Amino acid sequence: MSIIDKSILFVKEKLENAEGGHDWFHIERVYKNAILIARNEDCDLTVVKLAALLHDIADSKFHDGDETIGPKIAREFLEKENVTEEIVQHVINIIENISFKGGNFQKKFHSKELEIVQDADRLDAIGAIGIARTFNYGGFKNRPLYNPAIAPKLNMNKEEYKNSESPTLNHFYEKLLLLKDKMNTETGKKIALERHKYMENFLSQFYSEWDGEK
Protein backbone atom coordinates (compact mmCIF):
# COMPACT_ATOMS: atom_id res chain seq x y z
CA MET A 1 0.00 0.00 0.00
CA SER A 2 1.36 3.42 -0.96
CA ILE A 3 2.05 6.17 1.58
CA ILE A 4 -0.85 8.14 0.06
CA ASP A 5 -3.28 5.24 0.56
CA LYS A 6 -2.02 4.75 4.11
CA SER A 7 -2.45 8.46 4.79
CA ILE A 8 -6.04 8.39 3.53
CA LEU A 9 -6.91 5.51 5.87
CA PHE A 10 -5.15 7.24 8.78
CA VAL A 11 -6.96 10.54 8.26
CA LYS A 12 -10.35 8.88 7.80
CA GLU A 13 -9.91 7.11 11.12
CA LYS A 14 -8.63 10.18 13.01
CA LEU A 15 -11.42 12.44 11.76
CA GLU A 16 -14.25 9.94 12.06
CA ASN A 17 -16.17 12.06 14.59
CA ALA A 18 -14.97 15.50 13.48
CA GLU A 19 -17.22 18.57 13.09
CA GLY A 20 -18.91 18.57 9.68
CA GLY A 21 -16.86 21.37 8.15
CA HIS A 22 -13.52 19.88 9.20
CA ASP A 23 -14.17 16.18 8.64
CA TRP A 24 -12.78 13.65 6.15
CA PHE A 25 -14.94 15.07 3.36
CA HIS A 26 -13.31 18.49 3.83
CA ILE A 27 -9.91 16.81 3.55
CA GLU A 28 -11.02 14.90 0.45
CA ARG A 29 -12.21 18.09 -1.25
CA VAL A 30 -8.95 19.90 -0.43
CA TYR A 31 -7.01 16.88 -1.71
CA LYS A 32 -8.89 16.96 -5.02
CA ASN A 33 -8.50 20.74 -5.30
CA ALA A 34 -4.77 20.43 -4.66
CA ILE A 35 -4.31 17.80 -7.38
CA LEU A 36 -6.28 19.97 -9.81
CA ILE A 37 -4.13 23.05 -9.09
CA ALA A 38 -0.88 21.02 -9.12
CA ARG A 39 -1.48 20.00 -12.74
CA ASN A 40 -0.49 23.51 -13.82
CA GLU A 41 2.41 23.95 -11.39
CA ASP A 42 5.99 22.67 -11.17
CA CYS A 43 5.87 20.88 -7.82
CA ASP A 44 6.52 17.74 -5.79
CA LEU A 45 3.15 16.01 -6.07
CA THR A 46 3.86 13.64 -3.18
CA VAL A 47 4.42 16.56 -0.81
CA VAL A 48 1.26 18.26 -2.11
CA LYS A 49 -0.84 15.14 -1.56
CA LEU A 50 0.53 14.40 1.90
CA ALA A 51 0.15 18.00 3.06
CA ALA A 52 -3.41 18.21 1.72
CA LEU A 53 -4.33 14.99 3.50
CA LEU A 54 -2.69 15.91 6.81
CA HIS A 55 -3.22 19.68 6.97
CA ASP A 56 -6.22 19.47 9.35
CA ILE A 57 -5.38 16.28 11.21
CA ALA A 58 -5.85 18.20 14.48
CA ASP A 59 -7.25 21.69 13.80
CA SER A 60 -6.31 23.98 16.69
CA LYS A 61 -9.92 25.27 16.87
CA PHE A 62 -10.91 21.93 18.35
CA HIS A 63 -7.88 21.58 20.65
CA ASP A 64 -8.11 24.73 22.82
CA GLY A 65 -6.11 26.70 20.27
CA ASP A 66 -3.05 24.44 20.51
CA GLU A 67 -1.31 24.71 17.12
CA THR A 68 1.38 22.12 17.94
CA ILE A 69 -0.85 19.03 18.04
CA GLY A 70 -1.50 18.78 14.29
CA PRO A 71 2.16 18.94 13.22
CA LYS A 72 3.10 16.52 16.01
CA ILE A 73 0.54 13.90 14.94
CA ALA A 74 1.50 14.32 11.28
CA ARG A 75 5.22 13.91 12.04
CA GLU A 76 4.67 10.82 14.17
CA PHE A 77 2.60 9.19 11.44
CA LEU A 78 5.02 10.00 8.60
CA GLU A 79 8.07 8.91 10.58
CA LYS A 80 6.35 5.64 11.47
CA GLU A 81 5.84 5.07 7.75
CA ASN A 82 9.56 5.76 7.09
CA VAL A 83 8.99 8.87 4.99
CA THR A 84 12.23 10.78 4.39
CA GLU A 85 12.98 13.64 6.80
CA GLU A 86 13.11 16.10 3.90
CA ILE A 87 9.51 15.31 2.93
CA VAL A 88 8.35 15.14 6.55
CA GLN A 89 9.76 18.58 7.32
CA HIS A 90 8.28 20.07 4.16
CA VAL A 91 4.82 18.71 5.03
CA ILE A 92 5.13 20.03 8.59
CA ASN A 93 6.16 23.46 7.30
CA ILE A 94 3.05 23.53 5.12
CA ILE A 95 0.75 22.51 8.00
CA GLU A 96 2.23 25.23 10.22
CA ASN A 97 1.86 27.98 7.61
CA ILE A 98 -1.38 27.17 5.78
CA SER A 99 -3.90 28.80 8.11
CA PHE A 100 -5.62 32.18 7.58
CA LYS A 101 -5.31 33.38 11.22
CA GLY A 102 -7.10 36.65 10.59
CA GLY A 103 -5.25 37.39 7.36
CA ASN A 104 -2.37 39.20 9.04
CA PHE A 105 -0.27 36.11 9.69
CA GLN A 106 3.23 36.34 8.23
CA LYS A 107 4.30 33.05 6.70
CA LYS A 108 7.70 31.88 7.92
CA PHE A 109 8.04 29.37 5.11
CA HIS A 110 7.49 29.53 1.36
CA SER A 111 7.22 26.84 -1.30
CA LYS A 112 5.21 26.14 -4.40
CA GLU A 113 3.70 23.15 -2.60
CA LEU A 114 2.49 25.38 0.25
CA GLU A 115 0.93 27.78 -2.25
CA ILE A 116 -0.96 24.92 -3.91
CA VAL A 117 -2.29 23.34 -0.71
CA GLN A 118 -3.14 26.73 0.78
CA ASP A 119 -5.15 27.63 -2.33
CA ALA A 120 -6.89 24.25 -2.24
CA ASP A 121 -7.84 24.74 1.41
CA ARG A 122 -9.05 28.29 0.82
CA LEU A 123 -11.20 27.22 -2.11
CA ASP A 124 -13.11 24.92 0.23
CA ALA A 125 -13.83 27.92 2.47
CA ILE A 126 -15.65 29.87 -0.25
CA GLY A 127 -18.48 29.31 -2.71
CA ALA A 128 -21.49 27.09 -1.98
CA ILE A 129 -19.53 24.67 0.20
CA GLY A 130 -17.85 27.55 2.00
CA ILE A 131 -21.27 28.99 2.86
CA ALA A 132 -22.48 25.62 4.10
CA ARG A 133 -19.35 25.08 6.21
CA THR A 134 -19.58 28.56 7.70
CA PHE A 135 -23.13 28.12 8.94
CA ASN A 136 -22.43 24.56 10.05
CA TYR A 137 -19.57 25.81 12.25
CA GLY A 138 -21.64 28.75 13.48
CA GLY A 139 -24.33 26.31 14.58
CA PHE A 140 -21.70 24.08 16.16
CA LYS A 141 -20.59 27.11 18.24
CA ASN A 142 -24.21 28.24 18.84
CA ARG A 143 -23.65 31.64 17.25
CA PRO A 144 -26.46 33.85 15.91
CA LEU A 145 -26.90 33.84 12.13
CA TYR A 146 -26.74 37.62 11.93
CA ASN A 147 -27.07 40.65 14.15
CA PRO A 148 -27.20 44.03 12.35
CA ALA A 149 -26.00 45.74 15.56
CA ILE A 150 -22.69 43.83 15.56
CA ALA A 151 -20.38 45.01 12.81
CA PRO A 152 -17.66 42.76 11.35
CA LYS A 153 -14.16 43.31 12.74
CA LEU A 154 -11.68 43.85 9.94
CA ASN A 155 -7.90 43.49 10.22
CA MET A 156 -8.03 41.38 13.37
CA ASN A 157 -4.78 40.04 14.74
CA LYS A 158 -4.29 36.31 15.18
CA GLU A 159 -5.58 36.20 18.77
CA GLU A 160 -8.63 38.37 18.06
CA TYR A 161 -9.52 36.20 15.09
CA LYS A 162 -9.08 32.97 17.04
CA ASN A 163 -11.25 34.20 19.93
CA SER A 164 -13.96 35.89 17.89
CA GLU A 165 -17.55 34.98 18.74
CA SER A 166 -19.25 37.29 16.27
CA PRO A 167 -22.39 36.29 14.30
CA THR A 168 -21.85 33.83 11.49
CA LEU A 169 -22.58 36.31 8.70
CA ASN A 170 -19.72 38.53 9.90
CA HIS A 171 -17.31 35.74 8.98
CA PHE A 172 -17.91 36.51 5.32
CA TYR A 173 -16.37 39.96 5.79
CA GLU A 174 -13.74 38.88 8.30
CA LYS A 175 -12.41 36.06 6.10
CA LEU A 176 -14.35 34.54 3.21
CA LEU A 177 -14.65 37.61 0.96
CA LEU A 178 -10.95 38.37 1.51
CA LEU A 179 -9.70 35.03 0.20
CA LYS A 180 -10.15 35.78 -3.52
CA ASP A 181 -7.32 38.30 -3.39
CA LYS A 182 -5.07 36.06 -1.30
CA MET A 183 -4.86 33.16 -3.74
CA ASN A 184 -1.39 32.13 -4.87
CA THR A 185 -1.81 30.27 -8.17
CA GLU A 186 -3.50 31.19 -11.44
CA THR A 187 -5.78 28.15 -11.23
CA GLY A 188 -6.70 29.04 -7.67
CA LYS A 189 -7.46 32.63 -8.61
CA LYS A 190 -9.70 31.57 -11.50
CA ILE A 191 -11.79 29.16 -9.41
CA ALA A 192 -11.92 31.59 -6.47
CA LEU A 193 -13.35 34.38 -8.63
CA GLU A 194 -16.40 32.28 -9.57
CA ARG A 195 -16.98 31.13 -5.99
CA HIS A 196 -16.55 34.71 -4.72
CA LYS A 197 -19.33 35.92 -7.02
CA TYR A 198 -21.58 33.14 -5.74
CA MET A 199 -21.06 34.36 -2.16
CA GLU A 200 -21.82 37.95 -3.13
CA ASN A 201 -25.10 36.83 -4.70
CA PHE A 202 -25.93 34.83 -1.58
CA LEU A 203 -25.33 37.84 0.68
CA SER A 204 -27.49 40.06 -1.53
CA GLN A 205 -30.33 37.53 -1.31
CA PHE A 206 -29.81 37.09 2.45
CA TYR A 207 -30.16 40.80 3.20
CA SER A 208 -33.20 41.12 0.94
CA GLU A 209 -34.92 38.28 2.79
CA TRP A 210 -33.83 39.62 6.19
CA ASP A 211 -35.34 43.02 5.42
CA GLY A 212 -38.52 41.51 3.98
CA GLU A 213 -37.85 42.91 0.51
CA LYS A 214 -38.11 39.59 -1.36
Side-chain angles (χ1 to χ4, degrees), residues 77-102:
F77 166 73
L78 293 172
E79 287 180 346
K80 184 165 73 82
E81 298 299 334
N82 298 313
V83 175
T84 66
E85 174 58 25
E86 182 181 6
I87 290 178
V88 172
Q89 190 56 56
H90 195 163
V91 170
I92 298 305
N93 285 338
I94 291 173
I95 293 172
E96 290 177 341
N97 288 273
I98 192 173
S99 185
F100 180 73
K101 297 186 178 76

Short mmCIF file of all heavy atoms in Angstrom, two decimals, residues 77-102:
data_model
loop_
_atom_site.label_atom_id
_atom_site.label_comp_id
_atom_site.label_asym_id
_atom_site.label_seq_id
_atom_site.Cartn_x
_atom_site.Cartn_y
_atom_site.Cartn_z
N PHE A 77 3.13 10.12 12.45
CA PHE A 77 2.60 9.19 11.44
C PHE A 77 3.60 8.99 10.30
O PHE A 77 3.89 7.86 9.91
CB PHE A 77 1.27 9.71 10.88
CG PHE A 77 0.84 9.01 9.63
CD1 PHE A 77 0.34 7.71 9.70
CD2 PHE A 77 0.93 9.63 8.40
CE1 PHE A 77 -0.05 7.04 8.53
CE2 PHE A 77 0.55 8.97 7.24
CZ PHE A 77 0.06 7.68 7.31
N LEU A 78 4.12 10.09 9.75
CA LEU A 78 5.02 10.00 8.60
C LEU A 78 6.33 9.30 8.95
O LEU A 78 6.86 8.51 8.16
CB LEU A 78 5.30 11.41 8.05
CG LEU A 78 4.09 12.12 7.42
CD1 LEU A 78 4.43 13.56 7.08
CD2 LEU A 78 3.61 11.37 6.17
N GLU A 79 6.84 9.57 10.15
CA GLU A 79 8.07 8.91 10.58
C GLU A 79 7.85 7.41 10.76
O GLU A 79 8.72 6.59 10.42
CB GLU A 79 8.60 9.54 11.87
CG GLU A 79 9.20 10.92 11.66
CD GLU A 79 9.72 11.54 12.95
OE1 GLU A 79 9.38 11.02 14.04
OE2 GLU A 79 10.43 12.56 12.85
N LYS A 80 6.68 7.06 11.28
CA LYS A 80 6.35 5.64 11.47
C LYS A 80 6.31 4.91 10.13
O LYS A 80 6.61 3.72 10.04
CB LYS A 80 5.01 5.51 12.19
CG LYS A 80 4.62 4.08 12.54
CD LYS A 80 3.49 4.05 13.55
CE LYS A 80 2.18 4.45 12.90
NZ LYS A 80 1.48 3.40 12.16
N GLU A 81 5.93 5.65 9.09
CA GLU A 81 5.84 5.07 7.75
C GLU A 81 7.16 5.23 6.97
O GLU A 81 7.20 4.98 5.76
CB GLU A 81 4.69 5.71 6.97
CG GLU A 81 3.32 5.48 7.59
CD GLU A 81 2.95 4.01 7.67
OE1 GLU A 81 3.46 3.23 6.85
OE2 GLU A 81 2.14 3.65 8.55
N ASN A 82 8.21 5.66 7.68
CA ASN A 82 9.56 5.76 7.09
C ASN A 82 9.65 6.74 5.91
O ASN A 82 10.40 6.51 4.96
CB ASN A 82 10.07 4.38 6.66
CG ASN A 82 10.20 3.43 7.84
OD1 ASN A 82 10.75 3.79 8.87
ND2 ASN A 82 9.69 2.21 7.68
N VAL A 83 8.88 7.80 5.98
CA VAL A 83 8.99 8.87 4.99
C VAL A 83 10.27 9.65 5.26
O VAL A 83 10.65 9.85 6.42
CB VAL A 83 7.75 9.79 5.06
CG1 VAL A 83 7.89 10.98 4.12
CG2 VAL A 83 6.49 9.01 4.74
N THR A 84 10.96 10.08 4.21
CA THR A 84 12.23 10.78 4.39
C THR A 84 12.04 12.06 5.21
O THR A 84 11.00 12.70 5.12
CB THR A 84 12.88 11.14 3.04
OG1 THR A 84 12.05 12.11 2.38
CG2 THR A 84 13.03 9.91 2.17
N GLU A 85 13.05 12.44 5.95
CA GLU A 85 12.98 13.64 6.80
C GLU A 85 12.74 14.89 5.95
O GLU A 85 12.03 15.81 6.38
CB GLU A 85 14.26 13.79 7.61
CG GLU A 85 14.38 15.09 8.43
CD GLU A 85 13.23 15.30 9.41
OE1 GLU A 85 12.59 14.30 9.84
OE2 GLU A 85 12.95 16.47 9.75
N GLU A 86 13.30 14.94 4.77
CA GLU A 86 13.11 16.10 3.90
C GLU A 86 11.62 16.30 3.57
O GLU A 86 11.11 17.42 3.65
CB GLU A 86 13.89 15.90 2.60
CG GLU A 86 13.80 17.10 1.65
CD GLU A 86 14.56 16.88 0.36
OE1 GLU A 86 15.08 15.77 0.14
OE2 GLU A 86 14.62 17.83 -0.44
N ILE A 87 10.93 15.22 3.23
CA ILE A 87 9.51 15.31 2.93
C ILE A 87 8.71 15.59 4.18
O ILE A 87 7.80 16.43 4.19
CB ILE A 87 9.01 14.01 2.25
CG1 ILE A 87 9.59 13.91 0.83
CG2 ILE A 87 7.48 13.98 2.20
CD1 ILE A 87 9.20 12.64 0.09
N VAL A 88 9.05 14.91 5.28
CA VAL A 88 8.35 15.14 6.55
C VAL A 88 8.40 16.61 6.94
O VAL A 88 7.38 17.22 7.26
CB VAL A 88 8.95 14.27 7.69
CG1 VAL A 88 8.33 14.67 9.04
CG2 VAL A 88 8.71 12.79 7.43
N GLN A 89 9.60 17.18 6.90
CA GLN A 89 9.76 18.58 7.32
C GLN A 89 9.00 19.53 6.40
O GLN A 89 8.41 20.51 6.85
CB GLN A 89 11.24 18.95 7.36
CG GLN A 89 11.51 20.31 8.01
CD GLN A 89 10.95 20.42 9.42
OE1 GLN A 89 11.26 19.61 10.28
NE2 GLN A 89 10.11 21.43 9.67
N HIS A 90 9.00 19.22 5.12
CA HIS A 90 8.28 20.07 4.16
C HIS A 90 6.78 20.04 4.46
O HIS A 90 6.11 21.08 4.49
CB HIS A 90 8.55 19.58 2.73
CG HIS A 90 8.17 20.58 1.68
ND1 HIS A 90 8.61 20.51 0.38
CD2 HIS A 90 7.37 21.68 1.73
CE1 HIS A 90 8.11 21.52 -0.32
NE2 HIS A 90 7.35 22.24 0.48
N VAL A 91 6.24 18.85 4.70
CA VAL A 91 4.82 18.71 5.03
C VAL A 91 4.49 19.46 6.31
O VAL A 91 3.48 20.16 6.39
CB VAL A 91 4.43 17.22 5.15
CG1 VAL A 91 3.01 17.07 5.72
CG2 VAL A 91 4.53 16.52 3.79
N ILE A 92 5.35 19.33 7.31
CA ILE A 92 5.13 20.03 8.59
C ILE A 92 5.14 21.54 8.39
O ILE A 92 4.31 22.27 8.93
CB ILE A 92 6.20 19.62 9.64
CG1 ILE A 92 6.11 18.13 9.95
CG2 ILE A 92 6.02 20.45 10.92
CD1 ILE A 92 4.77 17.63 10.41
N ASN A 93 6.08 22.01 7.59
CA ASN A 93 6.16 23.46 7.30
C ASN A 93 4.87 23.96 6.65
O ASN A 93 4.40 25.06 6.94
CB ASN A 93 7.35 23.75 6.39
CG ASN A 93 8.68 23.69 7.12
OD1 ASN A 93 8.73 23.83 8.34
ND2 ASN A 93 9.75 23.47 6.39
N ILE A 94 4.30 23.15 5.78
CA ILE A 94 3.05 23.53 5.12
C ILE A 94 1.92 23.59 6.15
O ILE A 94 1.15 24.55 6.20
CB ILE A 94 2.71 22.55 3.98
CG1 ILE A 94 3.72 22.73 2.84
CG2 ILE A 94 1.27 22.78 3.48
CD1 ILE A 94 3.59 21.71 1.72
N ILE A 95 1.81 22.56 6.98
CA ILE A 95 0.75 22.51 8.00
C ILE A 95 0.84 23.73 8.93
O ILE A 95 -0.18 24.32 9.30
CB ILE A 95 0.85 21.21 8.83
CG1 ILE A 95 0.55 20.00 7.94
CG2 ILE A 95 -0.12 21.24 10.01
CD1 ILE A 95 0.81 18.66 8.61
N GLU A 96 2.04 24.13 9.28
CA GLU A 96 2.23 25.23 10.22
C GLU A 96 1.99 26.61 9.60
O GLU A 96 1.81 27.59 10.32
CB GLU A 96 3.66 25.17 10.79
CG GLU A 96 3.90 24.00 11.73
CD GLU A 96 5.32 23.90 12.24
OE1 GLU A 96 6.23 24.49 11.61
OE2 GLU A 96 5.54 23.22 13.25
N ASN A 97 1.96 26.68 8.27
CA ASN A 97 1.86 27.98 7.61
C ASN A 97 0.64 28.14 6.70
O ASN A 97 0.50 29.15 6.03
CB ASN A 97 3.12 28.25 6.79
CG ASN A 97 4.33 28.54 7.65
OD1 ASN A 97 4.58 29.68 8.03
ND2 ASN A 97 5.10 27.52 7.97
N ILE A 98 -0.25 27.16 6.72
CA ILE A 98 -1.38 27.17 5.78
C ILE A 98 -2.54 28.04 6.24
O ILE A 98 -3.28 28.59 5.44
CB ILE A 98 -1.86 25.72 5.53
CG1 ILE A 98 -2.81 25.68 4.33
CG2 ILE A 98 -2.50 25.12 6.78
CD1 ILE A 98 -3.20 24.28 3.92
N SER A 99 -2.69 28.22 7.55
CA SER A 99 -3.90 28.80 8.11
C SER A 99 -4.05 30.30 7.85
O SER A 99 -3.07 31.02 7.68
CB SER A 99 -3.93 28.54 9.62
OG SER A 99 -5.13 28.99 10.18
N PHE A 100 -5.30 30.76 7.84
CA PHE A 100 -5.62 32.18 7.58
C PHE A 100 -5.24 33.07 8.76
O PHE A 100 -4.60 34.10 8.60
CB PHE A 100 -7.13 32.28 7.30
CG PHE A 100 -7.61 33.68 7.02
CD1 PHE A 100 -7.33 34.30 5.82
CD2 PHE A 100 -8.38 34.35 7.96
CE1 PHE A 100 -7.79 35.59 5.56
CE2 PHE A 100 -8.85 35.64 7.70
CZ PHE A 100 -8.55 36.25 6.51
N LYS A 101 -5.65 32.68 9.96
CA LYS A 101 -5.31 33.38 11.22
C LYS A 101 -5.59 34.88 11.18
O LYS A 101 -4.80 35.69 11.64
CB LYS A 101 -3.83 33.15 11.58
CG LYS A 101 -3.46 31.69 11.85
CD LYS A 101 -2.03 31.59 12.34
CE LYS A 101 -1.64 30.16 12.67
NZ LYS A 101 -1.39 29.32 11.49
N GLY A 102 -6.73 35.25 10.61
CA GLY A 102 -7.10 36.65 10.59
C GLY A 102 -6.57 37.41 9.40
O GLY A 102 -6.87 38.59 9.22
#
